[in-house]
Amino acid sequence: MPADTPPRRLQEEMVQIRSALSSASKLLVCLDFDGTLAPIVDEPADAIPLERNEEALETLVAEPAVSTAIVSGRALVDVRDRVDASDAYAGNHGLELARNGSLSIHPVAEKRAALVGESHSALEVALDSVPGVRIENKRLTATVHTRAVPDALRPLVHRQTAAVVDRVGGPELAVSRGKRVLEVGPAIPWGKGNAVELIASDLPADTIPVYVGDDVTDESAFRAVEPAGIGIRVGGDDPSAASRRVRSPAEVASFLTWLGSAGVDLLGGSSGGTETGTNPPAAKTVELPNPPGATGD
Ligand SMILES: O=P(O)(O)OC[C@H]1O[C@H](O[C@H]2O[C@H](CO)[C@@H](O)[C@H](O)[C@H]2O)[C@H](O)[C@@H](O)[C@@H]1O
């Protein structure tokens, strides 16, 4: 696999994007939520998508040749409440997936949800005296938010979180980092990229996948779509598995709006057969297939 390089500005890549769309008959548009559809805000509960992103997504959902997926680190029910028009949803960084009318949960994550809950409770006690810290319980994962924590205290929060998770979960849980967050979840090789691969596996082979995201956990999803598809990193110009970048959720909206108009017109054919309904999937629960390398406990 080539080393990650800084993504190129999307605006300067439109010739290649047009060409890629012309060689496909269908389009899969996968979108992260925080920092991509919705600007980052101090209070996680206040995050809402830009209106232009919602409008562009609605247009894409209505296109027979387009499938859409929201792929978020939030709990699935949470992100579905915030974005109500998409064909598929992945929550908890891909550990839960709603598609084709059913809900799948990673079996190992399900077994370790109790440990995540215990960690959440223990973290609330251990970090109680830290000003600004917020701990979110998302059942399959938990998030320690440090955005409102004074800079000088963040290293302490990182150390205490690692110690608590090690004590409660040992090798069964892991801590990873995101934007001003520590994510606590099962120590298994499964992420957003696996969810994107499952969603894409339902679609015809000549579907071009697009993934737009802004954070560390989006990197596995960029790897899942590149190089045949289009990975777009939002913000900054750090090295990434995404080949293209935009600066902000507002630029995401401009791209999605273009995709829903001129972009879909470039697709080589639209043979139908893609689910485009906007209803949430029924609450049927089945397990995701075991990922390669999962411990399967
Ligand atoms: O994969 P995403 O949809 O981007 O979710 C990742 C995390 O997003 C949320 O936290 C982030 O957004 C908050 C609101 O803007 C911000 O305050 C926080 O600092 C960001 O890290 C969400 O609260 C987490 O549960 C998600 O894991």
Side-chain angles (χ1 to χ4, degrees):
M1 186 191 307
D4 291 348
T5 52
R8 300 180 295 278
R9 290 284 316 267
L10 182 69
Q11 279 171 327
E12 292 153 18
E13 294 284 308
M14 292 313 288
V15 171
Q16 292 88 335
I17 302 288
R18 285 169 188 276
S19 165
L21 289 170
S22 304
S23 63
S25 72
K26 288 195 176 289
L27 172 63
L28 169 62
V29 182
C30 301
L31 302 162
D32 168 55
F33 181 74
D34 292 279
T36 297
L37 291 177
I40 294 289
V41 290
D42 289 344
E43 171 53 61
D46 291 345
I48 51 169
L50 292 182
E51 205 174 319
R52 285 178 59 221
N53 272 326
E54 285 187 303
E55 289 165 1
L57 186 58
E58 277 168 27
T59 301
L60 287 165
V61 167
E63 281 289 339
V66 180
S67 290
T68 63
I70 307 300
V71 183
S72 177
R74 288 179 180 259
L76 196 149
V77 289
D78 179 3
V79 76
R80 201 161 62 190
D81 276 352
R82 290 167 201 276
V83 186
D84 67 0
S86 181
D87 301 316
Y89 292 85
N92 270 305
H93 304 285
L95 294 173
E96 45 186 355
L97 177 58
R99 76 194 208 281
N100 301 332
S102 67
L103 174 66
S104 310
I105 296 175
H106 193 293
V108 180
E110 185 60 59
K111 284 181 183 152
R112 296 187 191 172
L115 280 179
V116 170
E118 277 178 48
S119 297
H120 174 261
S121 304
L123 285 165
E124 284 199 315
V125 174
L127 300 174
D128 183 48
S129 62
V130 180
V133 80
R134 176 184 299 281
I135 306 155
E136 195 184 353
N137 186 351
K138 304 183 289 187
R139 200 177 81 78
L140 301 178
T141 67
T143 303
V144 177
H145 288 270
T146 61
R147 189 165 292 276
V149 173
D151 287 351
L153 292 179
R154 286 204 185 108
L156 172 77
V157 173
H158 288 203
R159 281 198 305 276
Q160 292 207 339
T161 300
V164 166
V165 173
D166 188 45
R167 173 167 56 79
V168 174
E172 305 210 315
L173 296 184
V175 180
S176 59
R177 291 194 187 191
K179 282 190 169 169
R180 297 278 190 256
V181 287
L182 297 168
E183 303 275 8
V184 179
I188 52 176
W190 188 275
K192 288 185 172 189
N194 300 93
V196 169
E197 282 167 6
L198 283 176
I199 293 164
S201 70
D202 294 336
L203 301 169
D206 64 344
T207 300
I208 181 165
V210 173
Y211 187 92
V212 192
D214 75 314
D215 209 346
V216 179
T217 65
D218 298 307
E219 291 294 325
S220 71
F222 295 140
R223 287 191 290 274
V225 302
E226 296 272 4
I230 303 166
I232 302 173
R233 172 92 186 211
V234 185
D237 56 1
D238 289 341
S240 169
S243 57
R244 275 74 175 205
R245 67 186 165 95
V246 293
R247 282 181 299 205
S248 63
E251 285 195 8
V252 173
S254 299
F255 177 62
L256 295 181
T257 303
W258 177 83
L259 260 189
S261 51
V264 290
D265 287 345
L266 293 167
L267 293 171
S270 53
S271 53
T274 304
E275 289 285 333
T276 57
T278 57
N279 288 335
K284 180 184 158 212
T285 300
V286 295
E287 290 185 344
L288 290 172
N290 263 329
T295 54
D297 62 351

